Each structure stands twice: as structure tokens, then as C-alpha cells.
Amino acid sequence: MTFSKYYNIKIVQVNKIEYVLFYTVPIMKKFALLYPLLISMFAIFIGILAYLQGISFLDLMELKTIDLRFEARGQISPGPDVVLAVIDEKSISKEGKWVWPRSKIANLVTKLSKAGARVIAFDIGFLEPDDKKIVNTINEIQRTIHDYDIRKKEIDNYLKNLKQQANNDQLLADAIRNSAAKIVLGYFFHTDSTESGHISENQISIHKNNISGSRYKFIRYASGTAQNIPLIEAETPQSNIEIISTATDYCGFFNMLPDKDGVVRWMPGVFKCMETLYAPLSLIIVSAYLESPISMNIGEYGVERVQIGKLAVPTDELGRILINYRGAGKTFPHIPVTDILSNNIADTVVKDKIVIVGATAVGIYDLRVTPFETVFPGVEIHANVIDSILSKDFMYQPAWAAIFDIMAIVVAGLILGLVLPKAGGISGAAAGFSLFIGHIFLCQYLFSHKGLILNLVYPLSVIILVYISITAYKYFTESKQKRFIKNAFSTYLAPAVVKQLIESPEKLVLGGEERVITAFFSDIQGFTSISEGLAPEELVELLNEFLTEMTSIILKYKGTVDKFEGDAIIAFFGAPNELENQEEIACMACIDMQKRLSELREGWKISGKPELYMRIGLCTGQAVVGNMGSKTRMDYTMMGDTVNVAARLEGVNKIYGIYTLISETTYNESGNKIIAREIDSINVVGKKKPVTVYQLLGYQKDIDEHMNKTIDNYSNGLYAYRNQDWEKAGSFFKAALELTPDDGPSKVMLLRCDEYKINPPPKDWDGSFSMKTK
């Protein structure tokens, strides 16, 4: 035939019926390899385009991966140069509520200076004058004395000294000016014009003068174009009051700009305000500590670096410094301010060190979110920046990061595009997984050991996209043969067998295997009379609803539905799939089925439909399962003694007036979650040995104290019954019925005791009850 150049023809015989299958010939293989490569190249193009343009969701995920990389790296021990003098709960308790008089801060500066601190920095602002009620009172006294023309030199000197001691702002300014340690003040910028509209030009001029110690003194521009590059803009400064600001040459802003997810990962290394560039608190602290000037290099594409003397600090193009967090809160030493004021620390604790004063007490400190914690004091963020600079341990994105990220996208996409078309399902997944994990480990290694941040999300997204796309392509092309077989054979064979033919054709033989299963049989109580009272359409609708709900629960617990016979459901657990704890799982399925049926009855009752009750028989044991049937039709089913017992137990429910019976083999392995009670030992038709049966009552949590007492009475009655103590047995069964009047087994056993009083069983009676019918 002419089409044979494109297809191979194969004749397959199944059950003496011949089928013709068509297969594509090797001439098409080059297309099978070319298309996946084209798919991978398209995915690479999409990935690169997304990387260059930026996708908000993926960018946010990339930020989250940085946090995860910090957590995976773990804590780093900081250097000894930075300690925190914290206004904590202990200090608030002993020194009084915040805000403290500035005389107390002045005392703190003096004590730290005498203890040998090299730099004292404040992550708090002195933005308004301190309370001057005492000073104003002294001024009023002086005016009054002057009005009464009282002139006494001693009084004048006393009031003058008293006023000087009461002027807290002057005390703090003097303490700063007289300190042997360098003092760095903190201030902030208004970054929103709506916040600074009330500030006059004169006030702005004063604020600018007050923060002159924060200006970059040396700025190197690569060209004239570099002078116009965009930087982070600020509206107006909010400085400390003039008397304090002029007491020191050092100050820096403590603004922090969280990422869009609220996490502080960057410290702004520069703010541009009214054409002047200003440095943050942390950089000014390092500059003061090293006694080195601070400068900035700006290229045509943005900030290249910040320098403190000869020490270069890497930044991004906006001048932001990526914070290399050392760990969670309290990674740096926290010294309560009250201990310093009370002289309860050794001088060595702060000698020659940077001491940053800030608040950590709940309610007064600025809460920040960091990669390590969602509640982190802002003062310790400055400590992390300072420590990483002093130790030259930076976290940054290198200039070649974008090239690396794009190459990672290209290489990963091409590797998968070449490997996946030739690989099987498992090997293809292994290749994709290896690339995925490999890129993660590479980025984590460079992060932890080299301080490099490379993009994770975009290369990983391309790996996923290429893998899914090529896998989908293979499914829709290379699986055409399997779908053809399924469509052709489903007309003649059961779907389960067709699936086996597709996946494992060698299994499509008559017969099966012997294995342990739990057989399930159910039937609707009085269904014949129910069906007679319904129209055919109503009956089908009711039955379909019942079978759908019950079947879904069986499948939920990984059971296999064998078949439906009218209103009966035949199923089993433990084949063809291996199922651990199959006895417990089967019992759980039965409990849930009865519970769901109870819910359905409520709805049927409201809508005027018959209320269905279901009897279930469950038995665990050896059975033969497999493909069984005729030469022209076969089904995956079960057979054997276990199956017969399960079917008999379903019917035995009627005798005892209950709805779920399980065999002893099922009960013994049903676990601790399940509660069941022994009902009787019965001789079923077709079995020589008696079968001990149990009523499945529910989960342990479903059984109350009332039912437990019923179970105990019944158990005691059953023991007396088997010992032929009919009177004692009857008394226990009566006690059970007093607790639970509708208890079917107790009613049956009580009647049986009364009967045996009149007609005792034979002397060789083994305590079992013989069933007369199936």
C-alpha cells in the first residue's frame, strides 16, 4: 500500500480476534527530536523576555528565595566590634517610662565615653526640645527677683547654676561635645511630599545645616551623564534640634525602605535631597570608627560603589546595600541601658567598640521584618550592616549576574530539550529534577560561601516550563499508539483489562494470583419492596445517587469496585494495588459509608423519597484475584472462600438486626481507631469451621460511655451464653437492652437463651450458631 512508507503495520491477536495496529516509521524520528527542541527554544525565549521585563509575581518569589537562602545558610557569628545599648523592658521598668529626660541620655553618653567606647551612635532622634518647665519656672523667679530689685550675688549664681542643670538639651549637647568617643546622631528624611508640606523654607534650611555631617564629601562621577542618573529621592530632612546637632560632626539617616513584601533586605546607601547626597547612619558610624572619609563612585548606569577610606562597599545601581544578616534577633550583644547607668557592666564590654543606642522594648521600637524574623528591632539592622562592612563580608549581585542568569536559562532549557525526547518517563523526570536541584544548590553555595546572589526563580521556571511542555508534547504524540489501542479494544474488553494491555500486555491472560484481600459485599435492606413503590425513573435516580456516593468512598480509600448487581456493591481492598493496613482502611470505608448514608436519608426524608439502609459484610483472607472469564470476555475480579464468607456476612446482618458485620480476621488487624464488638460464632452454609463475627460500631471517638456499658453487658452475656448459663446470660442481655432498647443482637441472644432453656443444645455444642440458609 502507498501509505506503508509512513506506517508500519502489525497484526495483534487477542482472544482469537485479530486487530491491525499502525506505527509511525523511523523516517519521522527527526521530527520527533526537532519539535521538542523548538519547544525548549520557545520556552527559553519566553523565560529571557520575562527576566528582562520582570514579572511581579516571579520577582516577589525571587525575594522569598533570598530569605530561604539566608535560613539555609544559618547564623554567622558577628565580630566583636559592635554592641547594642538597648532601651528594653528592664530599662523602662527601672528608669521610668519612655521618653526619658535628656539628662539621662547625657549621663549615658558620659558613662559610655568613660568606659572607653570608641563610637556612640543613636538610632533614636532628638527632634523636639526637651521639657523646659523647670527652666521656665527659674526664668520666672529671676524676673520676679529683678522686679523687686533684690540683688544678691549668691542667689543669682544659684539660680543660674540651677537653670543650667535643668536645661536637659544643653546637658546632652555638652555631654556629646565633651565625649571622648565620637558621637553619631540619627535623623530621618520625609520621602512623601504630603508629609513635609508644613515645613517652611527657613526650617528646611536649618534642617539641612543640622545634617551637614551626613553629606558625601567626595563624589566621583564617571562622566557628565553620570551626574544625572536617578537615585532614591527624599523630600525634606527631619533633623535633631540645633543645639544637639551642632554638638557633633557626625550624623546619618536611619530610614529603611522595605521591599514590596515588607521585608527589609536593603539599606539605602544614599538619599538625594535637594541635589545633595547623604549617607545612612550605618555608613557614617563605620566612617567615624575607622576615621576614614566616606565617598561614592557613580558611573553612567548608576552607583558603582561606596568607599570608606580604601574599603569599598558594593551597591546596586541605586546605591542600595544588600544586608548580609548575621542571624535572628540578639545575634549581637544587647546591654540594657539601665545596667550602663547603674555601672553594672565591665568597661571591657564597650571599650574600643561601636555602641549603638536604640529601643527594643515592646511598643516603643520600630518593628521590622527580616529574612530571619517577622519581628526584628531596627537598631540591630544597623548592627548587621556595620559588622558585614567591618568584616568585608558582603552580599551582592555581581556585574555579571544578568549574563549568568540568562546563560542558566539557555543552558538548562537546551539540555532538557535534547535529553527529554530520548528519555523515558523516570529518566526524563530524573534529568529535570537534577537540573532543578542542581541550580538551587549552585546558587545556595555561591550565596553561602561567596556572598553572591544569582537568580533562582526565572531559570527554575524555564526548567519547569520546558519539562511540562515537552512531557505534554510526548504525551499527545508518542501516546497516540496507546490511545489507539484503548479506543479499539474498549469495545470488546473491560476497561481494566484494556489498561493492563496498554501498560503490561503480558498480564492479559486468563487466571490470576492468590493474595490476601478484604472482600466487601453490600445490599440495600428491603430493596425489592422499595422498588415496587417507585416509578422506573425515580428508582434509577435514587439508586444512581446511592451507588455514586458509596462508590466514591470506596475509591477514596483505594478500594477496587468489582461490579454492581442491582442494588448490591461488590468490591475488595488490597488488589490490584498493595494496601497497607487494608483491614483498618476497609473498616474506615464502611464507617464512612454508613455515616454518609445516614446523611442521605435525612435529605431523602425531606424530599419524600424512601430511606435506604445498607447491610455490609467484610472478610479478610486469601483469595484469587485477576483476569477471569471466558475466551472472549474477562473481568478483573475475585473468588475464593474469603469472598463467600463476606457475602454470607452481609446476609447474616438480618438475623441480628444490624448493618455491618466483619470477620475475625478483619477485626484482628483493624487497629486501634476502630471499635467493634463480638456478636457471635456462626456456622455459615458451605463452611465447616465456625466464623466469629463482629459488629463494626464506628471510630473510637464515636463511642460514648453509654455504648461502652452496652458493649460490656453484651460481652458478659455472650461469655455466659457460651458456658450455657442461660439465666446469667439473659440477665446481661436484659441489662444491655435497658441501656440500648433497640440493640438487635441483645434481643436475638435473649430470645435464644429462652429457647435453650426449653430445648438445650447438644452436649458437644461449641457455642456457635448454625445458619440454615445462605
Side-chain angles (χ1 to χ4, degrees):
M1 296 183 185
T2 57
F3 59 83
S4 62
K5 63 184 279 190
Y6 300 108
Y7 295 94
N8 282 336
I9 301 173
K10 186 174 182 180
I11 309 298
V12 177
Q13 187 179 61
V14 179
N15 300 330
K16 296 186 177 181
I17 301 175
E18 291 185 343
Y19 299 92
V20 181
L21 303 181
F22 298 89
Y23 298 87
T24 56
V25 296
I27 196 172
M28 305 300 289
K29 283 187 177 179
K30 61 180 182 180
F31 295 105
L33 295 176
L34 178 61
Y35 288 141
L37 189 58
L38 291 175
I39 290 171
S40 67
M41 292 175 67
F42 180 73
I44 290 170
F45 173 76
I46 295 296
I48 294 174
L49 185 64
Y51 175 81
L52 296 176
Q53 293 293 322
I55 297 176
S56 296
F57 174 75
L58 295 182
D59 292 339
L60 180 60
M61 290 301 100
E62 179 63 23
L63 293 176
K64 296 300 183 185
T65 68
I66 294 176
D67 299 346
L68 292 173
R69 279 178 259 186
F70 270 114
E71 291 184 14
R73 184 207 65 185
Q75 183 168 312
I76 296 175
S77 297
D81 303 305
V82 183
V83 296
L84 304 180
V86 295
I87 303 164
D88 57 0
E89 284 81 359
K90 177 182 177 182
S91 299
I92 296 290
S93 174
K94 291 192 175 183
E95 303 296 332
K97 68 178 183 178
W98 185 256
V99 177
W100 295 337
R102 285 180 188 155
S103 57
K104 196 178 293 289
I105 304 298
N107 189 23
L108 175 66
V109 170
T110 302
K111 288 183 179 294
L112 287 173
S113 177
K114 289 181 178 179
R118 190 188 299 186
V119 175
I120 303 168
F122 287 92
D123 187 36
I124 53 178
F126 308 107
L127 312 177
E128 298 289 342
D130 204 359
D131 188 358
K132 293 189 176 181
K133 289 181 180 179
I134 298 176
V135 174
N136 292 335
T137 301
I138 296 172
N139 287 334
E140 185 65 30
I141 293 172
Q142 286 178 323
R143 282 194 295 270
T144 303
I145 290 175
H146 182 269
D147 290 342
Y148 283 100
D149 198 22
I150 299 174
R151 300 185 181 278
K152 197 167 186 180
K153 188 175 181 180
E154 290 82 359
I155 295 176
D156 289 341
N157 290 337
Y158 172 75
L159 291 175
K160 185 178 179 180
N161 291 332
L162 188 63
K163 185 166 67 171
Q164 188 174 359
Q165 293 174 16
N167 190 339
N168 291 335
D169 291 333
Q170 185 64 54
L171 288 175
L172 178 56
D174 291 342
I176 291 172
R177 195 173 285 108
N178 298 327
S179 171
K182 295 180 177 66
I183 308 297
V184 184
L185 299 176
Y187 68 92
F188 72 92
F189 280 103
H190 293 285
T191 55
D192 189 342
S193 58
T194 59
E195 298 174 353
S196 57
H198 64 284
I199 304 176
S200 67
E201 291 294 329
N202 182 55
Q203 289 175 315
I204 292 175
S205 177
I206 293 172
H207 286 311
K208 284 189 66 178
N209 185 61
N210 288 343
I211 64 170
S212 59
S214 179
R215 288 186 302 175
Y216 277 95
K217 303 299 190 298
F218 306 101
I219 305 172
R220 302 178 184 88
Y221 293 100
S223 65
T225 304
Q227 296 184 28
N228 300 316
I229 60 118
L231 295 172
I232 302 173
E233 298 272 356
E235 291 293 328
T236 56
Q238 183 69 54
S239 67
N240 297 280
I241 61 174
E242 187 172 5
I243 189 175
I244 295 176
S245 296
T246 56
T248 179
D249 295 329
Y250 301 98
C251 64
F253 64 83
F254 45 59
N255 296 70
M256 295 181 191
L257 302 178
D259 288 322
K260 53 190 173 182
D261 60 348
V263 179
V264 177
R265 301 183 182 89
W266 303 83
M267 175 67 71
V270 59
F271 264 3
K272 185 176 184 180
C273 181
M274 302 176 190
E275 302 305 317
T276 304
L277 305 186
Y278 295 92
L281 180 66
S282 50
L283 293 186
I284 297 296
I285 292 172
V286 176
S287 175
Y289 183 73
L290 298 178
E291 298 181 343
S292 300
I294 185 168
S295 62
M296 177 177 288
N297 288 28
I298 301 179
E300 294 185 354
Y301 298 100
V303 178
E304 293 177 345
R305 65 185 178 276
V306 170
Q307 282 199 201
I308 304 172
K310 294 183 179 181
L311 178 60
V313 181
T315 70
D316 69 356
E317 64 277 6
L318 292 176
R320 299 183 305 168
I321 302 167
L322 193 57
I323 303 170
N324 189 358
Y325 283 99
R326 315 327 248 166
K330 295 191 176 180
T331 301
F332 292 84
H334 282 216
I335 306 170
V337 167
T338 187
D339 288 350
I340 300 172
L341 294 174
S342 303
N343 297 317
N344 287 335
I345 64 165
D347 289 349
T348 54
V349 174
V350 298
K351 186 174 179 58
D352 291 327
K353 295 182 181 179
I354 296 169
V355 181
I356 307 176
V357 181
T360 62
V362 175
I364 67 169
Y365 76 106
D366 55 331
L367 302 177
R368 301 290 181 175
V369 181
T370 70
F372 281 100
E373 289 184 332
T374 57
V375 178
F376 196 93
V379 63
E380 196 157 355
I381 295 179
H382 296 295
N384 278 274
V385 175
I386 293 166
D387 186 72
S388 65
I389 293 174
L390 293 177
S391 60
K392 300 178 183 179
D393 182 16
F394 301 111
M395 196 68 68
Y396 65 102
Q397 292 174 319
W400 46 265
I403 297 174
F404 178 89
D405 295 339
I406 292 173
M407 288 302 299
I409 290 172
V410 173
V411 172
L414 287 178
I415 289 175
L416 286 181
L418 294 171
V419 171
L420 289 179
K422 303 175 183 179
I426 296 177
S427 56
F433 182 76
S434 299
L435 276 175
F436 192 90
I437 297 299
H439 185 67
I440 291 175
F441 274 106
L442 174 62
C443 290
Q444 182 63 50
Y445 173 81
L446 294 175
F447 180 92
S448 299
H449 298 279
K450 304 296 181 181
L452 302 180
I453 293 186
L454 302 173
N455 198 283
L456 262 178
V457 169
Y458 284 94
L460 295 182
S461 298
V462 170
I463 290 172
I464 294 172
L465 180 60
V466 172
Y467 179 81
I468 292 176
S469 300
I470 294 180
T471 301
Y473 169 80
K474 289 176 66 178
Y475 173 80
F476 287 112
T477 55
E478 296 178 8
S479 63
K480 284 182 180 179
Q481 171 190 330
K482 293 183 178 181
R483 294 202 301 274
F484 173 79
I485 295 174
K486 182 176 181 179
N487 293 335
F489 282 76
S490 292
T491 308
Y492 308 101
L493 301 176
V497 180
V498 175
K499 185 177 180 181
Q500 285 188 342
L501 174 61
I502 293 172
E503 297 180 355
S504 304
E506 68 279 1
K507 291 186 178 180
L508 192 60
V509 294
L510 290 177
E513 60 175 333
E514 188 174 25
R515 63 194 298 177
V516 175
I517 65 166
T518 299
F520 171 100
F521 279 78
S522 76
D523 197 19
I524 295 176
Q525 175 180 285
F527 186 72
T528 302
S529 59
I530 291 173
S531 61
E532 290 173 353
L534 295 174
E537 296 82 2
E538 295 174 328
L539 178 63
V540 170
E541 181 184 359
L542 181 65
L543 189 58
N544 283 345
E545 183 180 6
F546 165 79
L547 293 175
T548 299
E549 293 288 342
M550 299 301 106
T551 301
S552 66
I553 295 174
I554 294 173
L555 297 179
K556 171 188 171 184
Y557 284 98
K558 300 182 181 180
T560 301
V561 177
D562 188 338
K563 62 178 72 72
F564 302 110
E565 290 186 355
D567 60 301
I569 302 173
I570 302 173
F572 48 92
F573 297 82
N577 52 315
E578 295 289 341
L579 200 58
E580 292 185 12
N581 306 323
Q582 60 172 278
E583 298 87 354
E584 181 181 21
I585 290 171
C587 288
M588 292 167 67
C590 292
I591 293 171
D592 287 0
M593 289 169 75
Q594 294 289 16
K595 285 185 176 182
R596 179 59 184 146
L597 185 57
S598 177
E599 295 171 357
L600 291 172
R601 282 197 295 270
E602 294 293 327
W604 290 332
K605 184 177 181 180
I606 294 171
S607 58
K609 295 180 182 179
E611 300 176 39
L612 304 184
Y613 289 84
M614 172 178 60
R615 292 189 292 260
I616 298 174
L618 213 58
C619 182
T620 302
Q622 291 284 343
V624 176
V625 291
N627 298 301
M628 305 177 201
S630 68
K631 292 287 186 178
T632 57
R633 182 76 181 185
M634 61 182 71
D635 286 312
Y636 190 82
T637 187
M638 58 179 175
M639 62 175 57
D641 185 57
T642 297
V643 181
N644 296 333
V645 172
R648 299 290 180 269
L649 295 188
E650 180 275 314
V652 172
N653 281 292
K654 289 185 287 186
I655 296 175
Y656 296 96
I658 53 180
Y659 293 99
T660 307
L661 271 177
I662 64 176
S663 67
E664 186 174 24
T665 52
T666 304
Y667 171 77
N668 289 340
E669 302 296 330
S670 60
N672 297 326
K673 296 180 183 177
I674 306 303
I675 297 296
R677 63 167 169 172
E678 184 179 350
I679 295 298
D680 202 355
S681 182
I682 60 174
N683 294 300
V684 299
V685 177
K687 254 187 104 61
K688 295 180 180 179
K689 293 183 178 180
V691 177
T692 302
V693 294
Y694 294 76
Q695 179 191 6
L696 186 59
L697 295 171
Y699 296 114
Q700 196 171 52
K701 62 182 181 180
D702 298 332
I703 308 303
D704 57 18
E705 186 62 28
H706 185 84
M707 191 61 199
N708 278 325
K709 290 179 180 178
T710 301
I711 294 170
D712 290 341
N713 280 312
Y714 186 88
S715 176
N716 291 331
L718 186 62
Y719 179 80
Y721 166 83
R722 287 174 176 164
N723 287 306
Q724 301 186 37
D725 190 344
W726 314 121
E727 287 293 339
K728 189 174 182 180
S731 66
F732 279 118
F733 292 134
K734 287 177 181 178
L737 286 170
E738 288 176 3
L739 292 166
T740 310
D742 60 347
D743 186 47
S746 295
K747 291 179 182 179
V748 171
M749 299 304 281
L750 182 60
L751 290 173
R752 202 179 290 173
C753 286
D754 292 339
E755 183 180 337
Y756 280 148
K757 288 178 188 177
I758 302 170
N759 298 307
K763 291 183 179 181
D764 59 349
W765 182 61
D766 58 3
S768 63
F769 180 76
S770 297
M771 307 295 297
K772 302 296 191 294
T773 62
K774 292 184 179 182

